[in-house]
Amino acid sequence: MVDEINEVLRKAPLFEALDEEDTAALRSSVSEVRLGRGQTLFSEGDEGDRLYVILSGKVKLTRTAVDGRENLLGVLGPSEMFGELSLFDPRPRTASAVAVTDSVLAGLGHDDLRPFLSSRPHVSLQLLKALAARLRRTNDVMADLVFTDVPGRVAKALLELADKFGKEGEDGLHVHHDLTQEELAQLVGASRETVNKALAEFALRGWLRIEAKAVVLLDVERMRRRAR
Ligand code: CMP
């Protein structure tokens, strides 16, 4: 189990630039956090003092509008990191983090990380790279909200989930995203009805099969073309 944890941690942006000595130094400040499905780790607006790397499970990052509507910023899986914005910019949490499935996380206190990073600029650069990738994705998502129709956004979201959680099966690419239809709609930024219609249309064309909290992508190439 310890080896497995090390393996997952090593792929995280924070750890991938570390040599063994530094990994061991940082590992001593890591604490394990276990969340049950649906459990909130922190809420938007909370004070943030830790960064997290997912060891197993899935965590969603959400923002809530004043009228209660939710926007899902993303769903993160093993080796992905979150909670770093309040490390670099010590202000309240910019989103809530909620476990989509039972999850195990590695938590690292910002106070332990700051001195560690200030003496290791190459690790800070690695974190900046992860932040830059996130900004690029956010720009894409924003442009898609303006320029792309709902079926295109659904196709894109499913392909992104497939990249993270997809497993090749004999009949296609199995994507166990573990999201309800409502959550999928929140991820795409559209109503549940419109997203369901798009999914049903894709299924009718034979591009995918809908399963409970999962899809099987049967024609990835056409989905890619639809996502463009
Ligand atoms: P923090 O603000 O500390 O807590 C919420 C976390 O959600 C934040 O750090 C980031 O790690 C993550 N987050 C915020 N906005 C986005 C986004 N647009 N895409 C992916 N992750 C995000």
Side-chain angles (χ1 to χ4, degrees):
M1 185 64 188
V2 170
D3 276 354
E4 247 170 72
I5 291 178
N6 280 337
E7 195 52 43
V8 179
L9 269 184
R10 238 199 311 272
K11 287 191 202 138
L14 175 61
F15 286 86
E16 78 187 346
L18 300 186
D19 58 26
E20 254 169 49
E21 200 176 312
D22 281 347
T23 306
L26 206 54
R27 275 286 266 144
S28 60
S29 4
V30 169
S31 59
E32 198 180 273
V33 181
R34 285 176 183 272
L35 298 174
R37 183 164 67 94
Q39 198 177 337
T40 299
L41 175 65
F42 57 71
S43 299
E44 188 182 344
D46 285 356
E47 206 177 303
D49 61 354
R50 297 181 93 65
L51 167 155
Y52 297 91
V53 175
I54 301 178
L55 298 175
S56 65
K58 296 187 184 81
V59 171
K60 64 175 181 178
L61 299 167
T62 68
R63 295 186 66 137
T64 311
V66 275
D67 62 3
R69 281 179 304 158
E70 293 228 355
N71 172 219
L72 226 153
L73 297 174
V75 186
L76 308 185
S79 295
E80 290 192 285
M81 167 192 84
F82 63 96
E84 78 295 338
L85 289 189
S86 46
L87 164 72
F88 295 116
D89 178 21
R91 283 193 284 166
R93 295 288 193 195
T94 54
S96 305
V98 180
V100 175
T101 61
D102 291 348
S103 302
V104 184
L105 315 177
L108 272 146
H110 290 170
D111 289 344
D112 288 330
L113 269 172
R114 278 194 200 95
F116 184 86
L117 291 176
S118 56
S119 59
R120 292 165 182 87
H122 64 290
V123 184
S124 303
L125 275 175
Q126 205 62 33
L127 286 181
L128 275 177
K129 195 174 148 200
L131 271 181
R134 191 165 285 172
L135 183 57
R136 276 174 197 271
R137 178 185 172 270
T138 303
N139 284 348
D140 280 348
V141 169
M142 268 174 44
D144 287 341
L145 279 173
V146 179
F147 301 125
T148 308
D149 61 3
V150 174
R153 301 204 308 259
V154 172
K156 208 164 197 173
L158 291 178
L159 289 168
E160 192 185 5
L161 291 167
D163 267 349
K164 288 188 190 190
F165 307 117
K167 288 207 171 67
E168 279 301 343
E170 274 179 16
D171 52 346
L173 186 55
H174 290 239
V175 188
H176 284 271
H177 50 66
D178 286 293
L179 300 176
T180 61
Q181 291 183 341
E182 186 63 43
E183 287 170 325
L184 207 52
Q186 290 165 358
L187 182 63
V188 170
S191 72
R192 194 157 74 99
E193 292 71 24
T194 330
V195 170
N196 281 352
K197 214 172 122 194
L199 282 171
E201 178 68 28
F202 292 159
L204 198 69
R205 291 174 184 217
W207 297 357
L208 56 75
R209 196 170 70 233
I210 303 167
E211 296 189 344
K213 295 193 173 183
V215 289
V216 182
L217 300 186
L218 305 168
D219 194 336
V220 173
E221 195 37 51
R222 276 182 203 266
M223 290 290 287
R224 281 218 179 93
R225 265 188 260 153
R226 189 60 185 85
R228 259 185 228 135

